[in-house]
Structures are given as C-alpha cells and as structure tokens.
Amino acid sequence: MSAPLVPAAAAFASALRRDLLQAARRPGEWLQPLAFFVIVTVLFPLSLDPELARLRHLAPAALWVALLLATLLALDFLYREDARDGTLEQFALSGQPFAVMIFAKTATHWLLTGLPLALVGPLAAISLGAPPQNALAVLWPLLLGSVSMSLIGSICAGLTLGTRRGGALLSLLVLPLAMPALVFGARATQLAIAGESAAGALYLLGAITVLALTLAPLAAAAAVRISLE
Amino acid sequence: MSWAWFHRFGSPPYFYRVAGKLAPWFGWSALVLVLVSLYGGLVRAPVDYYQSDAFRIIYVHVPASWLALMTYTTMAVSAAIGLVWRIKVAHAVAVACAPAGVSFTVVSLVTGMIWGQPTWGTWWAWDPRIVSQLFLLFFFLGYIGLRSAIDDPDRADRASAVLAIVGVVNVPIVRFSVDWWNSLHQAPTVMRMDKPAMPWEMLWPLLLMALAYTLYFFWIMLVRARAEVLRRDRGGQWVREALARDAAGGSA
Amino acid sequence: MGEFFAMSGYWPFVWPAYALAMAGLAFEAWRARRLLGRARQEARRKLAIQEQS
C-alpha cells in the first residue's frame, strides 16, 4: 500500500467512508429527517389555504423552516454514537488534526441530510405552488444553506454532547446562529420561485457558507474536545 | 510593561478582595446617577416636538439596549481570556455577565414595545434593532442553558466560552442580515427614532443614564463574580480570611 | 403637578416603562446579592464541616 500524499486527507476519506457505510446499514437515521422534511412541507398547505397562488408566498418560509428543523433532528445523533463507543477518542488520539476528523463527520451529516433535503426541495417547492420551470432554481439556495446549517450544527452538537437534555438546548443554540443563513436563503428561494435573479442573496448566503466552512470545523473540534474530557 | 497586575487579578483571593472593595463604589454611584438622570429625563428635558412626552421612555430604553451589547462584549472577551490563559476568575466574570445580559435585553424589549405603541402605533414591529435585541436575548438564554446542562464546572466554563466566541462572529452578521432584510420590507408606518442633533438638555440625561447603567452593570457583575469565585474555591484558607473580613467590614 | 404625572396624556406608557425598567434593574440587583449571600453561607458551612473532621 502506497503512503498517501496527504495523511490528513486519507484519514478524512476513511472516516467519511466508514460513516457512510454505517449509515447504509441503518437507513432509518437518514430517512427520518427526509420524511420529516416532507411532512412539514405537506403540513403547511393542510393547515393553510390550499390555493396554490397563495401558497407560493409561503413556500420559502415552509421550505426553510422545514430544512432547519430536519437538520436539527439529524444533529442529535451526529456525535452521540461515536462518543459512546469511543470512536471520537480514537480520532483525538489518531495523530491526525482533530478538526479534519470532525469535519468528516459534518460532511457525512450534510451528505445524509442536507443533500437529500436540497434535492427534494424543488419537488416540495412545486407542491407548494412554485411554477415547475422555476422550481429547479430553488436547489441552489437550499444546497448552500444546508451546508452552512450542518456546519453551524456541528459546533452546537459538539457543545451539547454529553449534556442531559440535549434536544431543546441544541435548538436554542442553533437558531440564533442559523438565522442569517435563513434570512438570505429564504430571500433567494423567494426570488427563485418568482423566476427572478437571486444572485445578490445567493452571494451573501455563499459568503456565510464560506465563513462557516473556514471557522466551524475549528470551533466544532474545540467543542467536541472539551466535551470528551 | 509588567503583566503582574494581570496575573494578580487571576488569583481568586485577590479578585475577591478587590472586587469587594470596588463593588460598593459602583453600586452607590450608579444609584446616585440613576436618580439624577431620572430627574433630568422626566423633569428637565423639554417635551419632544414629534413624540411629545412619550419620547421620555428612551431614557430607560436606549441605555438598556447599549448595555446589552456591552454585557455581551464583556462576556465574550473574558470568556476568551479564560479559555486561552486558563484563568478561572475570567470565566467567573463571563458567567456573571449572562444574567445581567438577560435583564438588559428584556428591559430593552419591554420598554421598546411600550415606546412603540404611542410612537409607531404598534406594540411590535419587525424593526432591525428589535430583532437584534431579540436574538441577543436568545443567545444569552442559550449560554445560560448550556452552562446549566453541564455538571462539571470546568467543562461548562470552556464549552460556554467556545459558544461566546462563536457568538462574537455571529452578532454582527445577525445585525447585517436583519438590516438587509429590513431594507426589503420597509414598513411605511415605522418611523426612524434617531433625528439629527438632539438638543443638549435632551441628550445629557440619556448619556448620564447610560453611564449609570454601565456602573450598575459593573456592580452586578462584580457581586456575581465574587459569588462564583467563592463557590468554586471553597474550603481554602483564603476563604476563611475573606469571610472573616466580610463579616467585620459589612457586606457588599 | 397633575400635569407632570399626566405626561401630556402619555402617562399609561411613560410610567409603566420607567417602573418596569427600574423594577428590572432592582430585581437583578436583588438576585445578585442573594447569590453572593448564598455562596457565603455555603462556604461557611463547608468550613465548619472541615473543622469538625
């Protein structure tokens, strides 16, 4: 076996592969948030006026609230299992940068929840009254937004790791941090559904995502390390 | 430049003693200044042309909003100092800030709502300043919630410090996003509060009240930080001496 | 004097706002003092237990 060029990258890849394999054996974990996302977007029309023209105004709100809540749901088991069976401690002892290993976990979280949700997003948008020719454009804000939410969530899940009442606290920590992404993302979605250019809002959302990509893995690693002690 | 003072402040007995000496000064001067600025705001300041006497609410409202932000900054800076240099006293100061932050944001939101009704004609507007305060309140509550969920005080210190530092990055982004969002949905009924050049008779009670709130904040923060330091370091010889000194010299 | 308390008809807003703000500050001060009092009590009890043993 040839020595990998960048050991950290190899460690990242193997951690990612391991997590994905595990998820493939337990489809419930990643199907659950997806089902939750669909249920929330279905509940909106049922609890409102099913007239499509009026629903269209609420579609961005429904999509983003559903995305945020589904991400939160999946965050609860982001580290829990690995903290219990000692995998995280092995990560810390592996000699690889801890932030890289934690980032691999965050990437899995996004691949298993953020990505499927974003892909379902256009369909959900159509069901909420978006014109089909505009629905595909909804994909971009949802993709970017779900990345930043997974990253923000990885910090907060690390902080609440090993605390008693995780769930409610986790949402209290995530919501103020996720709020800017939600504001820009919902606006971009709104413009996309209306068939207008969403570039301005998407740039801002992209800026937040890049900021989260650079800072969140470090903060998440610090948070998990503190929780492990 | 000697860093001795910095290290001395990091020692709990020294902090407990000095904070105990300083706290009454802050407390009493805050009380005096609050009374003077109440007099200035309620009696001396002339009636506002646009808002009539309803404008007097800003004397208790605006300083609370300012102090909420300052409380947050103090909390984050001391949490960062505690995290980097592993100073327990700095963590105690950070912990002491959070409840004061909650009261400042709540006072700011409640008095803001009372001010909004006669001025804007509504109790609640999705104004950027209001929304920022609301998210600041959520943030303080999250900080307190996180601390109370972790049993080990050392771990709670460091986890909440990470949260406070993450929040420092977040607060300006929240403010920017709310401003940006508001510029899209400008409600026509909402009037801007800041008018150019407030006359001096109107301005001085506001500035004085802000100073009074600041002194009050330092007083509350020192009292709470002393309690925190005492709780963590109980049983030491210095605790015995400090308690004896407290009993002899009254309490603060 | 009545004119002062009437606040040009804005008394239902001005006075509750001042009262709530001052009550909020006073409540917070009371809570902080109580916390310190309890911490002292706790420390005293700990010292007493140490001395006995």
Side-chain angles (χ1 to χ4, degrees):
Chain A
M1 207 172 139
S2 64
L5 206 58
V6 187
F12 175 84
S14 68
L16 194 67
R17 194 164 50 234
R18 169 185 163 275
D19 279 353
L20 289 176
L21 266 174
Q22 273 189 345
R25 293 199 196 111
R26 275 183 308 218
E29 264 182 30
W30 54 274
L31 279 175
Q32 221 174 346
L34 192 62
F36 181 81
F37 178 79
V38 173
I39 288 168
V40 172
T41 48
V42 166
L43 280 178
F44 259 78
L46 289 181
S47 54
L48 287 161
D49 191 344
E51 195 189 320
L52 285 182
R54 223 168 296 171
L55 269 180
R56 197 171 302 153
H57 289 289
L58 290 161
L63 287 174
W64 280 83
V65 170
L67 175 70
L68 188 58
L69 293 179
T71 313
L72 272 175
L73 188 69
L75 275 179
D76 224 17
F77 30 71
L78 175 56
Y79 304 122
R80 199 142 297 212
E81 202 58 28
D82 285 345
R84 221 181 39 198
D85 66 12
T87 308
L88 289 179
E89 265 149 28
Q90 291 305 316
F91 280 177
L93 296 172
S94 68
Q96 303 299 337
F98 195 50
V100 170
M101 307 309 282
I102 292 301
F103 184 53
K105 294 221 59 81
T106 314
T108 323
H109 174 265
W110 181 74
L111 285 174
L112 294 176
T113 54
L115 184 62
L117 295 191
L119 292 177
V120 173
L123 283 177
I126 292 174
S127 78
L128 290 169
Q133 69 273 19
N134 298 341
L136 204 59
V138 168
L139 187 63
W140 307 119
L142 287 177
L143 272 178
L144 279 175
S146 58
V147 170
S148 59
M149 278 180 196
S150 286
L151 287 162
I152 289 165
S154 73
I155 305 174
C156 300
L159 289 172
T160 56
L161 183 64
T163 59
R164 274 167 275 121
R165 31 177 172 56
L169 179 61
L170 186 60
S171 49
L172 184 60
L173 298 185
V174 168
L175 291 183
L177 296 177
M179 185 272 227
L182 186 115
V183 165
F184 298 133
R187 174 68 180 164
T189 309
Q190 190 187 6
L191 290 171
I193 287 175
E196 292 167 40
S197 161
L202 271 182
Y203 286 148
L204 290 168
L205 184 59
I208 284 187
T209 310
V210 169
L211 186 72
L213 268 174
T214 45
L215 296 182
L218 298 174
V224 174
R225 220 182 251 284
I226 289 165
S227 301
L228 282 180
E229 279 164 17
Chain B
M1 170 95 191
S2 153
W3 285 92
W5 64 272
F6 186 74
H7 293 297
R8 223 166 23 197
F9 258 103
S11 110
Y14 182 79
F15 177 83
Y16 187 84
R17 196 173 70 236
V18 173
K21 277 190 190 136
L22 287 176
W25 290 97
F26 282 117
W28 288 112
S29 54
L31 184 65
V32 170
L33 287 190
V34 163
L35 292 176
V36 174
S37 28
L38 279 179
Y39 169 72
L42 287 169
V43 181
R44 295 304 297 274
V47 171
D48 185 69
Y49 180 75
Y50 296 101
Q51 301 174 25
S52 182
D53 275 319
F55 99 97
R56 295 186 197 280
I57 293 172
I58 68 161
Y59 292 123
V60 286
H61 165 70
V62 172
S65 319
W66 287 345
L67 259 291
L69 213 57
M70 173 163 148
T71 305
Y72 181 73
T73 317
T74 313
M75 183 174 107
V77 168
S78 46
I81 290 174
L83 192 65
V84 173
W85 285 286
R86 301 207 168 216
I87 297 173
K88 276 188 189 163
V89 169
H91 284 303
V93 169
V95 178
C97 288
V102 173
S103 353
F104 282 133
T105 42
V106 168
V107 164
S108 158
L109 285 169
V110 171
T111 54
M113 284 167 76
I114 298 175
W115 177 83
Q117 175 58 26
T119 320
W120 291 347
T122 170
W123 294 105
W124 183 264
W126 289 97
D127 175 80
R129 280 162 308 198
I130 301 178
V131 179
S132 308
Q133 284 289 322
L134 188 64
F135 274 89
L136 210 54
L137 173 62
F138 289 161
F139 195 86
F140 281 125
L141 291 177
Y143 179 91
I144 293 172
L146 179 63
R147 286 203 65 95
S148 68
I150 302 176
D151 291 323
D152 175 37
D154 196 44
R155 246 187 65 194
D157 278 345
R158 291 194 290 134
S160 58
V162 169
L163 180 66
I165 294 166
V166 170
V168 166
V169 181
N170 193 53
V171 162
I173 303 177
V174 165
R175 187 58 209 247
F176 171 75
S177 67
V178 177
D179 273 335
W180 180 85
W181 161 80
N182 186 63
S183 67
L184 304 170
H185 313 274
Q186 189 78 60
T189 49
V190 173
M191 185 177 88
R192 305 301 293 186
M193 187 177 71
D194 29 44
K195 290 196 301 295
M198 213 182 200
W200 178 243
E201 316 82 86
M202 273 187 182
L203 189 59
W204 74 259
L206 183 63
L207 297 178
L208 204 63
M209 190 66 104
L211 182 62
Y213 274 40
T214 312
L215 292 169
Y216 163 86
F217 160 66
F218 279 116
W219 173 51
I220 294 295
M221 187 266 276
L222 287 176
V223 170
R224 276 188 180 274
R226 288 184 86 204
E228 200 62 37
V229 163
L230 200 59
R231 268 217 304 224
R232 288 162 189 230
D233 243 320
R234 60 197 162 197
Q237 181 58 35
W238 75 267
V239 174
R240 197 184 312 267
E241 287 159 14
L243 287 176
R245 208 168 33 238
D246 282 350
S251 64
Chain C
M1 208 55 192
E3 200 183 325
F4 171 69
F5 285 111
M7 282 286 156
S8 352
Y10 286 109
W11 63 268
F13 303 103
V14 174
W15 295 113
Y18 273 77
L20 285 171
M22 291 303 129
L25 299 190
F27 175 67
E28 192 52 48
W30 173 75
R31 277 209 317 166
R33 296 287 311 257
R34 195 184 56 169
L35 188 78
L36 182 56
R38 284 192 178 166
R40 278 185 184 139
Q41 236 169 26
E42 181 96 341
R44 245 177 246 127
R45 216 176 47 225
K46 283 263 160 171
L47 285 177
I49 292 169
Q50 270 184 358
E51 261 153 37
Q52 273 173 11
S53 59

